[in-house]
Amino acid sequence: MLYWHWLALGMALLLAELFLASFFVFWFGLGALAVGGVLWFAPGLDITWQLLGWTVSSGLLTFAWFRYLRPLMKDRTQAGNARAAAIGEAGRVLRAPHGDKRGVVRFTTPLLGDDEWEFICTTPVATGDRVYVKEFSGNTLIVETRD
């Protein structure tokens, strides 16, 4: 095989990765590109050594990905804990609840993407009172007042 065969195979595997959700074929494509690069400088390399080089380089790249690179890319944000992080946030009552109607509270910074929320409170509140998030009930907050 010539160097450009390996380069074409590597590019084809890299393009195939666009349609696969595994992120596994990518490393075989990089291995093929590496063999193509070696053949550029040593064009007389036997096909056996080419295949061995592709196998070894693909295996090493895959191992390096799973062992060293992938753990560095783990999501360490608190995005999954957003609801728990919102507990205790303070807001001002815009409309007090009365009867079966829920009240509306506004926060200075958006809470889970919205700065105004409907709420339920077990104690009476008036417009302008400061309330604190106690719990979530679907898309409604359960709030409390603090003395």
Side-chain angles (χ1 to χ4, degrees):
M1 288 179 66
L2 299 174
Y3 77 92
W4 66 269
H5 292 128
W6 284 104
L7 296 178
L9 175 66
M11 293 304 291
L13 289 171
L14 292 176
L15 287 173
E17 187 62 51
L18 293 173
F19 302 103
L20 302 172
S22 65
F23 201 61
F24 189 73
V25 176
F26 182 79
W27 307 111
F28 290 93
L30 284 182
L33 290 177
V35 171
V38 168
L39 278 179
W40 180 293
F41 296 107
L45 198 59
D46 187 43
I47 188 70
T48 306
W49 290 106
Q50 292 176 28
L51 291 173
L52 181 64
W54 181 49
T55 304
V56 169
S57 63
S58 298
L60 288 175
L61 287 168
T62 303
F63 173 77
W65 163 250
F66 283 107
R67 175 74 174 161
Y68 300 109
L69 298 175
R70 189 171 179 217
L72 296 175
M73 298 177 71
K74 292 233 186 238
D75 185 14
R76 291 184 175 91
T77 65
Q78 297 296 322
N81 300 329
R83 289 180 88 90
I87 304 295
E89 288 292 320
R92 293 271 178 203
V93 176
L94 289 181
R95 185 179 72 223
H98 60 282
D100 290 341
K101 297 208 182 228
R102 295 182 174 150
V104 176
V105 62
R106 174 177 282 164
F107 298 92
T108 55
T109 57
L111 207 82
L112 300 176
D114 201 358
D115 59 346
E116 290 185 9
W117 285 79
E118 289 187 343
F119 74 91
I120 302 169
C121 189
T122 56
T123 58
V125 292
T127 302
D129 286 353
R130 180 178 291 269
V131 292
Y132 299 88
V133 178
K134 181 178 177 182
E135 189 61 54
F136 286 87
S137 177
N139 289 333
T140 304
L141 299 177
I142 300 172
V143 300
E144 64 184 358
T145 57
R146 295 182 184 163
D147 297 327

